[in-house]
Amino acid sequence: MPVTELTEVPPVLHGWSVLLAMGQLHAVLQPSANGGQPVAWWQAHQPLQVTEGWRAAANKHQQVLMFAAPVGSIGRQPREDLLRGAIDKAAANGKLVASALPLAGT
């Protein structure tokens, strides 16, 4: 969903989910074209470690927020405050999309 400012949690993207297993990030799943089991939209070559704080927050809320923008609209930022500013600017310029994805797995 297009996001113009980061003032509230984006809506849930039904049918999509984030696969966490044994405390590691494995994949982002999307609905299959034929209505069967979800398929990987993105899959880690090997499971990614996440911080305890990230995992605790994801488990508490049972969802992960996903943000995306076109290449070059945010860039690589060396600090969290600069990243937030770049994301806010991308949103204000209509170049940011976001959704809440429910957790799949444990």
Side-chain angles (χ1 to χ4, degrees), residues 22-105:
M22 298 182 61
Q24 297 176 318
L25 178 61
H26 287 260
V28 174
L29 305 174
Q30 67 180 351
S32 70
N34 62 7
Q37 291 291 326
V39 295
W41 173 76
W42 170 87
Q43 185 170 352
H45 292 289
Q46 64 183 76
L48 298 175
Q49 295 289 334
V50 295
T51 66
E52 179 60 36
W54 190 93
R55 187 173 64 227
N59 284 326
K60 177 181 177 185
H61 297 285
Q62 288 296 298
Q63 66 183 11
V64 172
L65 304 182
M66 179 180 278
F67 295 87
V71 171
S73 57
I74 295 173
R76 293 178 184 235
Q77 305 299 327
R79 297 190 329 255
E80 188 175 322
D81 61 326
L82 296 175
L83 176 61
R84 176 60 191 254
I87 291 172
D88 285 338
K89 183 177 178 185
N93 290 332
K95 296 188 177 198
L96 188 69
V97 295
S99 285
L101 305 181
L103 288 186

